[in-house]
Amino acid sequence: MRTTIHYDGEEYIVPRHASDLKVEIEAILATGQAGWLRVNHGRGQLKTADLLIHPGVAVGLIDTSDPEHVAGEE
């Protein structure tokens, strides 16, 4: 299981399902206040990063855990 997150022109990786991340992001937004989402950044040696989630910020989630996933097919 792995999800790639697109945020502010960068890619981040999280070892969780996209559906779990959607729930967490929706919970942050439901508070009406900004919140932090812990992710990994980089290639090879990953570094921990925190993304600020708030209304109006664009966040894209791609489930990259399935090696047979083909872009454009759902």
Side-chain angles (χ1 to χ4, degrees):
M1 90 187 109
R2 183 173 105 164
T3 300
T4 300
I5 300 172
H6 288 267
Y7 179 96
D8 196 29
E10 296 287 331
E11 284 190 355
Y12 300 88
I13 304 297
V14 180
R16 295 168 49 201
H17 289 288
S19 58
D20 294 337
L21 288 168
K22 286 180 188 178
V23 170
E24 185 173 350
I25 291 169
E26 288 169 352
I28 291 170
L29 293 173
T31 69
Q33 297 191 14
W36 294 98
L37 181 66
R38 172 90 12 125
V39 297
N40 296 313
H41 184 261
R43 302 250 183 239
Q45 184 176 359
L46 299 175
K47 297 190 185 249
T48 300
D50 293 308
L51 305 180
L52 184 61
I53 304 297
H54 59 85
V57 68
V59 177
L61 304 178
I62 302 168
D63 184 351
T64 51
S65 58
D66 182 2
E68 295 181 13
H69 175 77
V70 177
E73 292 184 8
E74 304 255 337

